[in-house]
Amino acid sequence: MSKRVVTLAHYYTAPEIQRMADKVGDSLELSLFARDAQADVIVFAGVRFMAETAKILNPQAEVILPDAGSTCSLVTQTDVKRLKAWREKHADYVHVSYINSSAEHKALSDWIVTSRNVDDIIAHLYAEGKKVIFSPDRNMGAYLNYQYGYDMPLWSAVCEVHDKFNETALNEGMVAVDGPKYLIAHPESPLPVLKRADYVGSTSGMLNWVKAFDREPDATIFVATEDGILYNMGLARPDLKIKQAPIYAGCQCNQCPYMKMNNVERVQRAQAGEGTRIDYLTAEQMNAARLPIERMLAFSEAQMQKTAMPERVAVVACSITALV
């Protein structure tokens, strides 16, 4: 009996990789899909921390990463021993960690968040009277502190891709374009860029913003995130002018080198059973890391149900009115 292989791909992978996938999404979508996948093998075309998360949530599945080198600067810039000492220094705080972190990092966390649910989860914790420390993304934490008036102590690591966006290059690039202009940005970008943005949100959030765009038809939309999502935006709205935000001298060439390690040959080999197996995590590590991830997923699913409920109520109300 052949094994059931499911291939997942992040929006930041190349278009040809996305076309090979059973599911394309952001970190939250892929985590939910991996958890519920009825798969013998999960091929994760993304980066290592994503594959680790899939293994933690679906330990019965064999998880294969196409390229062993596909890591993340937020992981490599975080020394776990120093993180543990920092966590102990703030022992009376709730430790909220961004999902872009290693399994060891997650095991030292109380909550895991994605860029899609971080605002709601931290607001929820503050509403409960908790104090919060945030790791590892310094830029995201600085934006949250600025936007909501928090005073969270922050770990100091950055995404090497998003951290390249800067206000000077952005100003030069936008001035050079005629007509209406908009900026949307991922919260891993530096604070001066985020302050300029018309919308700040997750990868899926930015994609949905573009899909729903109904303003000036001749507008140019600048996007401050990895260039992979521009493929999906172009498919969704070929009528719009969409550009990646410049990083210097008008350059629109900002790619994640780790995501781009996923090429067709490597993904095909992984689908055939070759590649880096996520088989090095101990049961203790996985159990410790699973708790804050599942806490996040339960919160997000409850929020999704609340959001959907008014629509269901409206449908029922319309049906009753029709019967009367």
Side-chain angles (χ1 to χ4, degrees), residues 97-160:
S97 295
Y98 188 33
I99 198 168
N100 294 29
S101 53
S102 68
E104 291 177 294
H105 188 142
K106 290 179 173 70
L108 294 172
S109 309
D110 298 303
W111 284 78
I112 299 300
V113 294
T114 70
S115 53
R116 198 196 314 188
N117 58 30
V118 60
D119 300 62
D120 290 338
I121 287 175
I122 292 183
H124 166 74
L125 292 171
Y126 271 100
E128 290 188 332
K130 306 286 178 58
K131 296 187 296 183
V132 177
I133 56 173
F134 185 79
S135 69
D137 195 296
R138 181 184 69 219
N139 287 337
M140 184 178 292
Y143 177 71
L144 292 164
N145 280 342
Y146 163 78
Q147 185 75 1
Y148 301 107
Y150 301 146
D151 189 24
M152 296 184 297
L154 307 176
W155 188 254
S156 188
V158 295
C159 165
E160 65 184 69

Side-chain angles (χ1 to χ4, degrees), residues 6 30 34 61-62 68 87 95 122 124 159 184 220 246 255 312:
V6 170
L30 295 176
E62 184 178 7
R87 174 74 185 92
H95 183 198
I122 292 183
H124 166 74
C159 165
I184 60 176
T220 301
Q255 296 183 336
R312 292 198 295 270

Side-chain angles (χ1 to χ4, degrees), residues 54-77:
K55 182 65 177 179
I56 290 164
L57 291 173
N58 195 339
Q60 304 307 314
E62 184 178 7
V63 180
I64 300 178
L65 185 68
D67 192 286
S70 55
T71 183
C72 171
S73 62
L74 288 165
V75 173
T76 59
Q77 292 174 17

Side-chain angles (χ1 to χ4, degrees), residues 106-233:
K106 290 179 173 70
L108 294 172
S109 309
D110 298 303
W111 284 78
I112 299 300
V113 294
T114 70
S115 53
R116 198 196 314 188
N117 58 30
V118 60
D119 300 62
D120 290 338
I121 287 175
I122 292 183
H124 166 74
L125 292 171
Y126 271 100
E128 290 188 332
K130 306 286 178 58
K131 296 187 296 183
V132 177
I133 56 173
F134 185 79
S135 69
D137 195 296
R138 181 184 69 219
N139 287 337
M140 184 178 292
Y143 177 71
L144 292 164
N145 280 342
Y146 163 78
Q147 185 75 1
Y148 301 107
Y150 301 146
D151 189 24
M152 296 184 297
L154 307 176
W155 188 254
S156 188
V158 295
C159 165
E160 65 184 69
V161 176
H162 289 91
D163 200 51
K164 290 178 182 176
F165 295 115
N166 65 86
E167 190 176 21
T168 300
L170 181 63
N171 289 338
E172 292 174 356
M174 294 184 80
V175 165
V177 173
D178 294 329
K181 289 160 282 217
Y182 294 88
L183 170 66
I184 60 176
H186 193 281
E188 292 176 26
S189 304
L191 186 57
V193 173
L194 298 176
K195 286 180 178 180
R196 289 281 313 276
D198 297 283
Y199 173 79
V200 176
S202 68
T203 314
S204 287
M206 289 186 289
L207 178 58
N208 290 334
W209 189 93
V210 167
K211 287 178 179 178
F213 185 83
D214 60 356
R215 306 179 197 182
E216 302 92 336
D218 61 335
T220 301
I221 300 170
F222 287 85
V223 183
T225 195
E226 210 272 352
D227 72 351
I229 192 63
L230 271 69
Y231 164 70
N232 307 87
M233 291 176 175

Side-chain angles (χ1 to χ4, degrees), residues 9 13-21 231 260 262-264 267:
T13 55
E16 58 268 23
I17 303 303
Q18 295 188 35
R19 290 192 288 267
M20 298 172 70
Y231 164 70
K260 297 322 190 228
N262 293 280
N263 61 32
V264 171
V267 174

Side-chain angles (χ1 to χ4, degrees), residues 1 14 48 79 92 115 138 184 233 243 249-250 258 278 299 301 321:
M1 184 174 174
R48 184 180 289 268
D79 180 275
D92 57 337
S115 53
R138 181 184 69 219
I184 60 176
M233 291 176 175
K243 295 177 176 288
Y258 311 113
I278 309 300
F299 180 91
E301 288 177 315
T321 303

Side-chain angles (χ1 to χ4, degrees), residues 305-321:
Q305 289 174 0
K306 286 181 183 178
T307 302
M309 194 173 296
E311 296 176 7
R312 292 198 295 270
V313 171
V315 171
V316 171
C318 289
S319 300
I320 293 172
T321 303

